[in-house]
Amino acid sequence: MTGFGKVTAELPSKKVTVEIKSLNSKQFDLNTRISAVYREKEMEIRNELLQTLERGKIELSIHIEDIGKDTAARINFPVVESYYEQIRALSESLHLAEPSDWFQTLLRMPDAVKNEVGELDVSEWETVHGAIGEATRRLVAFREQEGAMLQKLFEGKIAAIAALLAQIDRYEGERIEKIKSRILDNLNHISEVDYDRNRLEQELIYYIEKLDINEEKTRLGNHLEYFVDTMNRGHGQGKKLGFIAQEIGREINTLGSKSYHVEMQKIVVQMKDELEQIKEQVLNVL
């Protein structure tokens, strides 16, 4: 959801620069820095950005640069004159020298300069509104470029996990035989103990079934396919992809806990590494 857009609009007496950027966020969070003259349009801007951008931590800045002779800043004559009289009276009362630079002293005083905010001109707002729309479109284009790169990344990671999953089959028979051998070796050490062989056989079957990973492999394969299918549906699938990634992680963890085989556990670690990179980047998807 990261992106950036910038547009500059030329007006007869000013230049307006619109900047908008987006960072990852689960909700729509808008922070604006705009001139007081456009403040009345803030709610309209907010609603339009919400409809277009949907989610993200959005920062909108509208900067005005005066390029004409006219300016909204005005010297507040009554206030400046009052400061002048007060400072002179204070100098006489305390027997202090008057300021050597009256202008510098007076214009630094509070409210000596005021900014007059007039009514927003309709044609000016149309120009600024168009600049906001164009900056937003550029941000969306930036997001789309990032989305295309993320899709390639996800496709590669999902394919890598699928390839690792296929490698597990070569160790499956060896794993079961090792488990059986370990159990029989332990029984040989307690051969002097009388036990019910039928019950033992039942317990062995139950134990081996608990360690069976065919269901986990099938579910994991289905989740990988579902992730790709969901991703190819296009816009608005970010949250669903995050949920599917969680399900993929659960199946990988179960495979790891049931493996009891060094090579299979190495494969599981590689799967987790691929999945972790997916989880980090899926937050960028709307």
Side-chain angles (χ1 to χ4, degrees), residues 57-284:
K57 185 176 182 181
I58 314 298
E59 292 187 8
L60 172 67
S61 173
I62 304 178
H63 175 70
I64 298 177
E65 179 183 352
D66 291 314
I67 56 177
K69 294 183 179 180
D70 193 20
T71 176
R74 296 286 185 269
I75 296 176
N76 198 335
F77 285 95
V79 172
V80 171
E81 185 177 10
S82 175
Y83 282 137
Y84 175 75
E85 297 295 339
Q86 292 181 61
I87 292 172
R88 289 196 61 185
L90 185 62
S91 297
E92 293 178 4
S93 175
L94 299 178
H95 305 291
L96 298 174
E98 294 183 359
S100 58
D101 188 343
W102 274 105
F103 280 110
Q104 184 177 9
T105 301
L106 292 173
L107 294 179
R108 286 182 175 177
M109 300 301 289
D111 300 323
V113 178
K114 60 181 179 180
N115 287 312
E116 296 181 349
V117 180
E119 292 185 3
L120 179 59
D121 183 72
V122 175
S123 60
E124 176 181 337
W125 171 243
E126 288 179 353
T127 301
V128 174
H129 187 243
I132 296 172
E134 179 59 27
T136 304
R137 285 188 287 274
R138 294 183 183 183
L139 185 148
V140 171
F142 192 106
R143 279 182 168 184
E144 289 174 347
Q145 292 177 1
E146 183 186 43
M149 291 188 292
L150 286 177
Q151 181 170 359
K152 291 182 179 179
L153 173 67
F154 291 154
E155 288 172 347
K157 298 301 178 184
I158 292 296
I161 295 175
L164 290 167
L165 177 60
Q167 294 179 25
I168 288 180
D169 291 339
R170 73 178 70 168
Y171 303 109
E172 182 62 11
E174 180 183 345
R175 180 184 75 101
I176 296 299
E177 290 302 320
K178 282 187 175 182
I179 293 172
K180 288 180 179 179
S181 177
R182 189 182 309 146
I183 294 172
L184 292 175
D185 287 343
N186 290 332
L187 287 175
N188 289 333
H189 287 88
I190 59 170
S191 57
E192 68 279 0
V193 178
D194 187 24
Y195 56 85
D196 186 339
R197 291 187 177 274
N198 290 330
R199 179 60 185 271
L200 174 62
E201 184 177 344
Q202 293 176 4
E203 293 293 337
L204 286 176
I205 293 173
Y206 173 75
Y207 181 68
I208 292 174
E209 285 180 348
K210 281 190 63 177
L211 295 178
D212 181 74
I213 59 173
N214 286 318
E215 288 188 9
E216 285 75 11
K217 291 191 298 182
T218 300
R219 284 197 297 266
L220 178 55
N222 291 337
H223 291 331
L224 296 177
E225 292 178 2
Y226 188 35
F227 188 98
V228 175
D229 291 342
T230 302
M231 179 174 58
N232 290 333
R233 292 176 186 173
H235 181 78
Q237 305 299 323
K239 289 184 178 180
K240 185 179 289 185
L241 291 176
F243 295 145
I244 300 172
Q246 291 178 10
E247 294 301 319
I248 292 173
R250 289 191 180 95
E251 300 304 332
I252 292 175
N253 288 334
T254 305
L255 284 174
S257 65
K258 286 186 173 184
S259 63
Y260 289 101
H261 191 282
V262 173
E263 295 303 322
M264 288 177 62
Q265 289 174 339
K266 289 180 180 178
I267 291 174
V268 167
V269 170
Q270 294 177 62
M271 286 181 174
K272 288 182 177 181
D273 181 55
E274 300 290 348
L275 180 62
E276 192 61 30
Q277 296 178 58
I278 292 176
K279 287 182 175 180
E280 289 176 359
Q281 296 299 328
V282 79
L283 297 174
N284 287 319

